[in-house]
Every structure is written in C-alpha cells, then in structure tokens.
Amino acid sequence: EAGVAQSPRYKIIEKRQSVAFWCNPISGHATLYWYQQILGQGPKLLIQFQNNGVVDDSQLPKDRFSAERLKGVDSTLKIQPAKLEDSAVYLCASSFNFLNTEAFFGQGTRLTVV
Amino acid sequence: GEDVEQSLFLSVREGDSSVINCTYTDSSSTYLYWYKQEPGAGLQLLTYIFSNMDMKQDQRLTVLLNKKDKHLSLRIADTQTGDSAIYFCAQGLTGGGNKLTFGTGTQLKVEL
C-alpha cells in the first residue's frame, strides 16, 4: 500500500513570495490533515478535511494560508505571502475517516523562508 | 488548555530500558498516542491507548496511563541503537475527530 505522498521535499523562498505544497493521501482515506512542525516543536494542526469539506481550520492563519481539496483526494496548501516565521516542515496526514484511530503521515515538505 | 508536555532529552545505554514521560491537560482525551520521528522522516505511529485503559503492551513497548494525574509513559525494553529518534506524545481530543495535539517531543539517544 502506497503511503502519503508529498511534494516538494524541500523549498527555499524569499519572504513575501508565494509557495504551494501538494499532498496525495492513501487511497480511500476520507480524512486529510495538514500540520506545521516548527524546528524543536511538535506538529500543530493547521486544517482538517473530511472528503472535500473543511472540518476544522481554526488554527490556520487565514490571512496568508489557504488549503483546498477540491475532489476529495489530493490537497494543496498555499502560503501567500510567506513570512520568516513560516519556516517549518509541513506534514500531510490521512486517515480512513475522522473516527479512525490511526493517521498516516507523509515525509513532509521542509520550507525555508529567507 | 490542550497542552502536552515532555522532557526534551533522554540518553540510555543499548540493552537498557527507556522510559519516556508525558503529561497532558485535556482530561476528555479519548486516545493517547506515541509517535516516532527519525531524521528526515515523517511521523510513525508506535502505539496508542484508549483512555479507559491503564496499560497496553505491544512487544518491546509498554504504555502506562495514569488518568488521575494525566500522565502517560512509554517504556521501551531492550533499547537498541535503531530506537534513537524523537518520540512524540499526542492526545486525541474528544469530539475533534482524529486531530491530534502533540507534545514537544523527547529525543532519545541510545549509546553503545
């Protein structure tokens, strides 16, 4: 079974530029999550999707971050414009549904904003 | 609050047992999890415990839950160099689907 795929693995951008991350969850998984992991900290949930609908985006900085999962499969997370403090690893995870106990994580995209 | 706290660093000798501790604040958490993160890799679920359980054992891993003190621990028996990684405790919030609140992580270093 293929795991959660994310791209790119690494990205370096200048502040005020835009960036987008892509995630392909495990086939058949209805729930998809984006987490932000700042160096030295645990991951923090940004947004949770159930199919193509947003379940929780309470911790997403909506003035600069956006995410979509239009067809209920792949998802993109965008930052526009980026700030220095956005430097982090962005992790995508998926689970069969929101009641399922196990979430599977991708390898993440490491973003450096200079 | 929904804080999860862990000690930052633990060093053990190969073959010894490791005990990683975690405290959490949300008494309504349904599940408590332990994840492992190796350098450059995503998070790997090691084990989880339902909140109405006190203990769960899975091969070399033993999870103990003290719900009264909101304390969770992970014991790794016969620790190996391959166990060197960062270990995250996480709580699953009641009514919050499967979204997780993670601790800061404990870096385990296994020395020969």
Side-chain angles (χ1 to χ4, degrees):
Chain A
E1 178 182 79
V4 176
Q6 291 188 245
S7 67
R9 287 295 312 277
Y10 306 93
K11 190 74 177 178
I12 302 174
I13 62 171
E14 295 182 350
K15 59 184 179 183
R16 292 188 288 274
Q17 285 188 323
S18 301
V19 65
F21 313 126
W22 173 82
C23 172
N24 187 332
I26 292 173
S27 178
H29 280 195
T31 310
L32 184 147
Y33 313 82
W34 283 102
Y35 285 85
Q36 179 193 57
Q37 185 177 18
I38 294 172
L39 185 65
Q41 299 181 19
K44 183 186 82 172
L45 180 71
L46 292 175
I47 189 167
Q48 176 185 352
F49 290 93
Q50 180 69 14
N51 296 311
N52 61 350
V54 175
V55 174
D56 185 345
D57 63 356
S58 58
Q59 298 193 83
L60 187 73
K62 297 180 188 62
D63 57 334
R64 298 183 300 105
F65 286 64
S66 64
E68 60 184 17
R69 194 184 183 200
L70 293 175
K71 296 183 179 179
V73 181
D74 294 5
S75 177
T76 56
L77 175 69
K78 297 178 182 177
I79 308 174
Q80 179 181 9
K83 292 185 175 181
L84 296 177
E85 58 260 37
D86 298 331
S87 294
V89 175
Y90 291 84
L91 295 164
C92 180
S94 70
S95 60
F96 184 70
N97 59 49
F98 71 94
L99 296 175
N100 196 262
T101 53
E102 183 168 4
F104 295 84
F105 283 79
Q107 290 184 296
T109 296
R110 181 176 297 276
L111 172 68
T112 302
V113 182
V114 297
Chain B
E2 302 167 353
D3 292 334
V4 180
E5 295 186 355
Q6 301 177 238
S7 53
L8 291 179
F9 191 76
L10 176 66
S11 179
V12 300
R13 292 198 179 275
E14 188 177 41
D16 289 349
S17 293
S18 308
V19 180
I20 302 171
N21 295 301
C22 167
T23 57
Y24 61 97
T25 55
D26 190 342
S27 58
S28 61
S29 293
T30 307
Y31 290 94
L32 293 137
Y33 301 81
W34 284 104
Y35 278 84
K36 177 182 180 182
Q37 187 175 42
E38 294 179 272
L43 293 160
Q44 175 195 356
L45 178 66
L46 288 178
T47 187
Y48 62 89
I49 188 167
F50 189 52
S51 59
N52 69 353
M53 297 170 64
D54 298 323
M55 186 183 84
K56 180 179 180 180
Q57 188 156 359
D58 184 1
Q59 299 181 349
R60 291 192 298 125
L61 305 178
T62 303
V63 179
L64 295 177
L65 175 60
N66 182 329
K67 201 172 179 181
K68 173 177 171 290
D69 295 337
K70 297 179 191 156
H71 182 265
L72 182 74
S73 68
L74 174 69
R75 179 177 179 269
I76 305 173
D78 187 24
T79 311
Q80 302 297 307
T81 55
D83 295 323
S84 293
I86 300 176
Y87 290 80
F88 290 95
C89 168
Q91 59 181 7
L93 304 175
T94 301
N98 196 26
K99 65 180 183 181
L100 304 171
T101 299
F102 285 86
T104 51
T106 299
Q107 181 161 1
L108 174 64
K109 182 178 179 182
V110 182
E111 298 175 327
L112 295 173

Short mmCIF file of all heavy atoms in Angstrom, two decimals, chain A residues 9 33 35 37 40-45 48 56 58 91 95 97-98 100-103 105-107, chain B residues 2 8 31 33 35 37 40-45 48 88 96-105:
data_model
loop_
_atom_site.label_atom_id
_atom_site.label_comp_id
_atom_site.label_asym_id
_atom_site.label_seq_id
_atom_site.Cartn_x
_atom_site.Cartn_y
_atom_site.Cartn_z
N ARG A 9 9.95 18.03 -1.50
CA ARG A 9 10.53 17.68 -0.21
C ARG A 9 11.14 18.89 0.47
O ARG A 9 11.12 19.00 1.69
CB ARG A 9 11.61 16.60 -0.37
CG ARG A 9 11.11 15.21 -0.69
CD ARG A 9 10.29 14.61 0.46
NE ARG A 9 10.91 14.73 1.77
CZ ARG A 9 11.81 13.90 2.26
NH1 ARG A 9 12.24 12.89 1.54
NH2 ARG A 9 12.31 14.07 3.47
N TYR A 33 -5.23 15.80 6.79
CA TYR A 33 -4.78 16.82 7.73
C TYR A 33 -3.51 17.48 7.21
O TYR A 33 -2.66 16.81 6.62
CB TYR A 33 -4.44 16.21 9.09
CG TYR A 33 -5.45 15.24 9.65
CD1 TYR A 33 -5.47 13.92 9.25
CD2 TYR A 33 -6.36 15.64 10.62
CE1 TYR A 33 -6.39 13.02 9.77
CE2 TYR A 33 -7.28 14.75 11.16
CZ TYR A 33 -7.28 13.44 10.73
OH TYR A 33 -8.19 12.55 11.25
N TYR A 35 -0.38 19.60 8.97
CA TYR A 35 0.26 20.02 10.22
C TYR A 35 1.48 20.88 9.89
O TYR A 35 2.16 20.66 8.89
CB TYR A 35 0.73 18.81 11.04
CG TYR A 35 -0.36 18.04 11.74
CD1 TYR A 35 -1.06 17.04 11.08
CD2 TYR A 35 -0.66 18.29 13.08
CE1 TYR A 35 -2.05 16.31 11.74
CE2 TYR A 35 -1.65 17.56 13.74
CZ TYR A 35 -2.33 16.57 13.07
OH TYR A 35 -3.31 15.85 13.71
N GLN A 37 5.16 21.86 11.56
CA GLN A 37 6.11 21.50 12.61
C GLN A 37 7.31 22.45 12.54
O GLN A 37 8.17 22.32 11.67
CB GLN A 37 6.57 20.05 12.47
CG GLN A 37 7.48 19.61 13.62
CD GLN A 37 7.88 18.16 13.53
OE1 GLN A 37 7.79 17.52 12.48
NE2 GLN A 37 8.34 17.61 14.63
N GLY A 40 12.12 21.99 16.58
CA GLY A 40 12.16 21.87 18.03
C GLY A 40 10.81 21.78 18.69
O GLY A 40 10.73 21.74 19.92
N GLN A 41 9.75 21.76 17.89
CA GLN A 41 8.40 21.69 18.43
C GLN A 41 7.66 20.48 17.87
O GLN A 41 8.07 19.88 16.88
CB GLN A 41 7.62 22.96 18.10
CG GLN A 41 8.22 24.23 18.68
CD GLN A 41 7.39 25.45 18.34
OE1 GLN A 41 6.22 25.36 17.98
NE2 GLN A 41 8.00 26.62 18.48
N GLY A 42 6.55 20.15 18.50
CA GLY A 42 5.69 19.12 17.95
C GLY A 42 4.82 19.68 16.84
O GLY A 42 4.63 20.90 16.75
N PRO A 43 4.29 18.81 15.99
CA PRO A 43 3.40 19.29 14.92
C PRO A 43 2.15 19.96 15.48
O PRO A 43 1.63 19.55 16.52
CB PRO A 43 3.04 18.00 14.17
CG PRO A 43 4.12 17.03 14.53
CD PRO A 43 4.51 17.37 15.94
N LYS A 44 1.69 20.97 14.76
CA LYS A 44 0.47 21.69 15.13
C LYS A 44 -0.51 21.60 13.97
O LYS A 44 -0.14 21.88 12.82
CB LYS A 44 0.79 23.14 15.45
CG LYS A 44 -0.42 23.95 15.91
CD LYS A 44 -0.08 25.42 16.07
CE LYS A 44 -0.11 26.15 14.74
NZ LYS A 44 0.03 27.61 14.88
N LEU A 45 -1.74 21.20 14.27
CA LEU A 45 -2.74 21.06 13.21
C LEU A 45 -3.09 22.41 12.61
O LEU A 45 -3.39 23.36 13.33
CB LEU A 45 -4.00 20.41 13.77
CG LEU A 45 -5.13 20.20 12.75
CD1 LEU A 45 -4.76 19.09 11.75
CD2 LEU A 45 -6.43 19.86 13.45
N GLN A 48 -8.12 20.41 8.81
CA GLN A 48 -8.59 19.04 8.65
C GLN A 48 -9.72 19.02 7.63
O GLN A 48 -10.67 19.80 7.73
CB GLN A 48 -9.09 18.49 9.99
CG GLN A 48 -9.70 17.10 9.92
CD GLN A 48 -10.29 16.66 11.25
OE1 GLN A 48 -10.12 17.31 12.26
NE2 GLN A 48 -10.99 15.53 11.24
N ASP A 56 -12.13 21.50 10.28
CA ASP A 56 -11.55 22.39 11.28
C ASP A 56 -10.40 23.16 10.65
O ASP A 56 -9.45 22.55 10.16
CB ASP A 56 -11.05 21.58 12.48
CG ASP A 56 -10.55 22.44 13.63
OD1 ASP A 56 -10.33 23.65 13.43
OD2 ASP A 56 -10.40 21.91 14.73
N SER A 58 -9.45 26.15 12.46
CA SER A 58 -9.37 27.18 13.49
C SER A 58 -7.95 27.68 13.74
O SER A 58 -7.76 28.78 14.24
CB SER A 58 -9.98 26.66 14.79
OG SER A 58 -9.31 25.49 15.21
N LEU A 91 3.58 18.90 7.25
CA LEU A 91 3.26 17.47 7.21
C LEU A 91 1.81 17.27 6.79
O LEU A 91 0.91 17.93 7.33
CB LEU A 91 3.47 16.83 8.58
CG LEU A 91 4.90 16.80 9.11
CD1 LEU A 91 4.89 16.52 10.61
CD2 LEU A 91 5.72 15.76 8.38
N SER A 95 -6.30 9.64 7.23
CA SER A 95 -6.87 8.51 7.94
C SER A 95 -8.11 8.06 7.20
O SER A 95 -8.70 8.82 6.43
CB SER A 95 -7.19 8.84 9.40
OG SER A 95 -8.13 9.89 9.49
N ASN A 97 -11.14 7.53 8.11
CA ASN A 97 -12.16 8.55 8.36
C ASN A 97 -11.84 9.23 9.67
O ASN A 97 -10.86 8.88 10.33
CB ASN A 97 -13.59 7.96 8.35
CG ASN A 97 -13.75 6.88 9.41
OD1 ASN A 97 -13.38 7.07 10.57
ND2 ASN A 97 -14.31 5.75 9.03
N PHE A 98 -12.63 10.20 10.05
CA PHE A 98 -12.28 11.02 11.21
C PHE A 98 -12.45 10.26 12.51
O PHE A 98 -12.00 10.71 13.55
CB PHE A 98 -13.08 12.32 11.23
CG PHE A 98 -14.55 12.14 11.55
CD1 PHE A 98 -15.01 12.28 12.84
CD2 PHE A 98 -15.46 11.83 10.54
CE1 PHE A 98 -16.36 12.11 13.14
CE2 PHE A 98 -16.80 11.67 10.83
CZ PHE A 98 -17.25 11.81 12.13
N ASN A 100 -11.34 7.13 12.79
CA ASN A 100 -10.27 6.14 12.80
C ASN A 100 -9.15 6.56 13.72
O ASN A 100 -8.78 7.72 13.76
CB ASN A 100 -9.76 5.94 11.38
CG ASN A 100 -8.95 4.68 11.24
OD1 ASN A 100 -7.74 4.72 11.28
ND2 ASN A 100 -9.62 3.56 11.10
N THR A 101 -8.57 5.62 14.45
CA THR A 101 -7.57 5.97 15.45
C THR A 101 -6.20 6.27 14.86
O THR A 101 -5.40 6.94 15.49
CB THR A 101 -7.40 4.85 16.47
OG1 THR A 101 -7.14 3.63 15.78
CG2 THR A 101 -8.64 4.70 17.33
N GLU A 102 -5.89 5.76 13.68
CA GLU A 102 -4.54 5.92 13.17
C GLU A 102 -4.50 6.87 11.99
O GLU A 102 -5.23 6.70 11.00
CB GLU A 102 -3.95 4.58 12.75
CG GLU A 102 -2.51 4.71 12.26
CD GLU A 102 -1.81 3.39 12.10
OE1 GLU A 102 -2.45 2.34 12.29
OE2 GLU A 102 -0.61 3.41 11.78
N ALA A 103 -3.63 7.86 12.10
CA ALA A 103 -3.35 8.76 10.99
C ALA A 103 -1.97 8.42 10.45
O ALA A 103 -1.04 8.19 11.21
CB ALA A 103 -3.40 10.22 11.45
N PHE A 105 1.31 9.57 8.23
CA PHE A 105 1.96 10.83 7.87
C PHE A 105 2.87 10.67 6.67
O PHE A 105 3.54 9.64 6.50
CB PHE A 105 2.79 11.35 9.05
CG PHE A 105 1.98 11.99 10.13
CD1 PHE A 105 1.29 11.22 11.05
CD2 PHE A 105 1.89 13.37 10.22
CE1 PHE A 105 0.52 11.80 12.05
CE2 PHE A 105 1.13 13.97 11.21
CZ PHE A 105 0.45 13.18 12.13
N GLY A 106 2.92 11.71 5.85
CA GLY A 106 3.91 11.80 4.79
C GLY A 106 5.24 12.25 5.35
O GLY A 106 5.36 12.55 6.55
N GLN A 107 6.25 12.33 4.47
CA GLN A 107 7.59 12.71 4.92
C GLN A 107 7.72 14.21 5.15
O GLN A 107 8.67 14.66 5.78
CB GLN A 107 8.63 12.26 3.89
CG GLN A 107 8.81 10.75 3.84
CD GLN A 107 9.91 10.35 2.88
OE1 GLN A 107 9.81 10.56 1.67
NE2 GLN A 107 10.98 9.78 3.41
N GLU B 2 -4.93 22.79 26.06
CA GLU B 2 -4.70 21.50 25.43
C GLU B 2 -3.21 21.22 25.33
O GLU B 2 -2.72 20.72 24.34
CB GLU B 2 -5.33 21.49 24.03
CG GLU B 2 -6.82 21.78 24.06
CD GLU B 2 -7.36 22.09 22.68
OE1 GLU B 2 -6.57 22.21 21.74
OE2 GLU B 2 -8.58 22.22 22.56
N LEU B 8 12.82 16.98 27.21
CA LEU B 8 13.40 17.18 25.88
C LEU B 8 14.36 16.08 25.45
O LEU B 8 14.50 15.81 24.26
CB LEU B 8 14.12 18.53 25.84
CG LEU B 8 13.24 19.76 25.91
CD1 LEU B 8 14.09 21.02 25.88
CD2 LEU B 8 12.22 19.78 24.77
N TYR B 31 -8.12 9.19 23.12
CA TYR B 31 -6.97 8.35 22.84
C TYR B 31 -5.69 9.12 23.12
O TYR B 31 -5.63 10.33 22.94
CB TYR B 31 -6.96 7.93 21.36
CG TYR B 31 -8.04 6.95 20.99
CD1 TYR B 31 -9.25 7.41 20.46
CD2 TYR B 31 -7.87 5.59 21.16
CE1 TYR B 31 -10.25 6.52 20.13
CE2 TYR B 31 -8.86 4.69 20.81
CZ TYR B 31 -10.05 5.17 20.30
OH TYR B 31 -11.03 4.29 19.96
N TYR B 33 -1.49 8.84 22.19
CA TYR B 33 -0.66 8.20 21.18
C TYR B 33 0.83 8.41 21.46
O TYR B 33 1.22 9.41 22.08
CB TYR B 33 -0.94 8.82 19.80
CG TYR B 33 -2.35 8.72 19.32
CD1 TYR B 33 -3.32 9.61 19.75
CD2 TYR B 33 -2.71 7.75 18.38
CE1 TYR B 33 -4.63 9.54 19.28
CE2 TYR B 33 -4.02 7.68 17.90
CZ TYR B 33 -4.96 8.58 18.35
OH TYR B 33 -6.23 8.49 17.88
N TYR B 35 4.16 8.60 18.91
CA TYR B 35 4.70 8.60 17.56
C TYR B 35 6.22 8.67 17.63
O TYR B 35 6.79 9.27 18.54
CB TYR B 35 4.19 9.81 16.77
CG TYR B 35 2.83 9.65 16.16
CD1 TYR B 35 1.67 9.90 16.91
CD2 TYR B 35 2.68 9.25 14.83
CE1 TYR B 35 0.42 9.76 16.34
CE2 TYR B 35 1.42 9.11 14.26
CZ TYR B 35 0.30 9.36 15.02
OH TYR B 35 -0.95 9.21 14.46
N GLN B 37 9.69 9.78 15.33
CA GLN B 37 10.14 10.53 14.16
C GLN B 37 11.65 10.41 14.04
O GLN B 37 12.40 10.85 14.91
CB GLN B 37 9.75 12.00 14.27
CG GLN B 37 10.05 12.80 13.00
CD GLN B 37 9.54 14.24 13.07
OE1 GLN B 37 9.66 14.90 14.09
NE2 GLN B 37 8.95 14.72 11.98
N GLY B 40 14.59 13.38 9.05
CA GLY B 40 14.16 13.48 7.65
C GLY B 40 12.95 12.65 7.30
O GLY B 40 12.59 12.57 6.12
N ALA B 41 12.33 12.05 8.29
CA ALA B 41 11.19 11.19 8.02
C ALA B 41 9.92 11.75 8.63
O ALA B 41 9.96 12.62 9.50
CB ALA B 41 11.46 9.79 8.58
N GLY B 42 8.81 11.24 8.18
CA GLY B 42 7.54 11.63 8.77
C GLY B 42 7.33 10.94 10.10
O GLY B 42 8.22 10.27 10.63
N LEU B 43 6.17 11.09 10.65
CA LEU B 43 5.84 10.50 11.94
C LEU B 43 5.31 9.09 11.76
O LEU B 43 4.48 8.84 10.88
CB LEU B 43 4.78 11.35 12.65
CG LEU B 43 5.27 12.73 13.07
CD1 LEU B 43 4.09 13.66 13.31
CD2 LEU B 43 6.09 12.62 14.32
N GLN B 44 5.77 8.20 12.61
CA GLN B 44 5.33 6.81 12.56
C GLN B 44 4.59 6.49 13.85
O GLN B 44 5.14 6.67 14.95
CB GLN B 44 6.55 5.89 12.42
CG GLN B 44 6.23 4.41 12.49
CD GLN B 44 7.48 3.58 12.71
OE1 GLN B 44 8.59 4.08 12.74
NE2 GLN B 44 7.30 2.28 12.86
N LEU B 45 3.35 6.03 13.72
CA LEU B 45 2.60 5.66 14.92
C LEU B 45 3.20 4.39 15.52
O LEU B 45 3.35 3.38 14.86
CB LEU B 45 1.14 5.41 14.56
CG LEU B 45 0.25 4.95 15.73
CD1 LEU B 45 0.14 6.05 16.78
CD2 LEU B 45 -1.13 4.54 15.24
N TYR B 48 -0.98 3.27 20.66
CA TYR B 48 -1.91 4.20 21.26
C TYR B 48 -2.67 3.47 22.36
O TYR B 48 -2.69 2.24 22.42
CB TYR B 48 -2.88 4.78 20.23
CG TYR B 48 -3.77 3.76 19.56
CD1 TYR B 48 -5.00 3.40 20.12
CD2 TYR B 48 -3.39 3.14 18.38
CE1 TYR B 48 -5.82 2.46 19.51
CE2 TYR B 48 -4.19 2.20 17.77
CZ TYR B 48 -5.40 1.87 18.33
OH TYR B 48 -6.21 0.93 17.72
N PHE B 88 7.12 11.49 20.18
CA PHE B 88 6.07 12.47 20.47
C PHE B 88 4.88 11.78 21.12
O PHE B 88 4.39 10.77 20.65
CB PHE B 88 5.58 13.15 19.19
CG PHE B 88 6.58 14.08 18.56
CD1 PHE B 88 7.41 13.65 17.55
CD2 PHE B 88 6.67 15.40 18.98
CE1 PHE B 88 8.33 14.50 16.96
CE2 PHE B 88 7.58 16.26 18.40
CZ PHE B 88 8.41 15.81 17.40
N GLY B 96 -13.19 15.88 18.44
CA GLY B 96 -12.34 16.57 17.47
C GLY B 96 -11.91 15.66 16.34
O GLY B 96 -10.88 15.94 15.72
N GLY B 97 -12.66 14.63 16.10
CA GLY B 97 -12.26 13.71 15.06
C GLY B 97 -10.97 13.04 15.44
O GLY B 97 -10.79 12.63 16.58
N ASN B 98 -10.04 12.96 14.54
CA ASN B 98 -8.77 12.33 14.83
C ASN B 98 -7.66 13.37 14.92
O ASN B 98 -6.50 13.02 14.90
CB ASN B 98 -8.44 11.31 13.74
CG ASN B 98 -7.36 10.36 14.18
OD1 ASN B 98 -7.17 10.13 15.36
ND2 ASN B 98 -6.63 9.83 13.22
N LYS B 99 -8.01 14.66 15.02
CA LYS B 99 -6.95 15.65 15.06
C LYS B 99 -6.21 15.52 16.38
O LYS B 99 -6.78 15.20 17.41
CB LYS B 99 -7.50 17.05 14.89
CG LYS B 99 -8.42 17.52 16.00
CD LYS B 99 -8.91 18.92 15.70
CE LYS B 99 -9.77 19.46 16.82
NZ LYS B 99 -10.28 20.82 16.52
N LEU B 100 -4.92 15.72 16.31
CA LEU B 100 -4.03 15.44 17.42
C LEU B 100 -3.36 16.70 17.94
O LEU B 100 -3.02 17.59 17.16
CB LEU B 100 -2.95 14.45 16.98
CG LEU B 100 -3.44 13.12 16.41
CD1 LEU B 100 -2.31 12.33 15.81
CD2 LEU B 100 -4.15 12.32 17.48
N THR B 101 -3.15 16.74 19.26
CA THR B 101 -2.32 17.77 19.88
C THR B 101 -1.05 17.09 20.35
O THR B 101 -1.11 16.16 21.16
CB THR B 101 -3.04 18.44 21.06
OG1 THR B 101 -4.22 19.06 20.59
CG2 THR B 101 -2.13 19.49 21.68
N PHE B 102 0.08 17.52 19.82
CA PHE B 102 1.35 16.88 20.08
C PHE B 102 2.13 17.58 21.17
O PHE B 102 2.02 18.80 21.36
CB PHE B 102 2.22 16.89 18.82
CG PHE B 102 1.80 15.91 17.77
CD1 PHE B 102 0.83 16.23 16.84
CD2 PHE B 102 2.38 14.65 17.71
CE1 PHE B 102 0.43 15.34 15.87
CE2 PHE B 102 2.00 13.74 16.73
CZ PHE B 102 1.03 14.09 15.81
N GLY B 103 2.94 16.81 21.88
CA GLY B 103 3.93 17.38 22.77
C GLY B 103 5.12 17.89 21.99
O GLY B 103 5.16 17.80 20.75
N THR B 104 6.11 18.39 22.71
CA THR B 104 7.30 18.97 22.08
C THR B 104 8.29 17.91 21.62
O THR B 104 9.21 18.21 20.88
CB THR B 104 8.01 19.92 23.04
OG1 THR B 104 8.22 19.24 24.27
CG2 THR B 104 7.18 21.18 23.27
N GLY B 105 8.10 16.68 22.06
CA GLY B 105 8.99 15.61 21.64
C GLY B 105 10.14 15.37 22.60
O GLY B 105 10.66 16.31 23.21
#
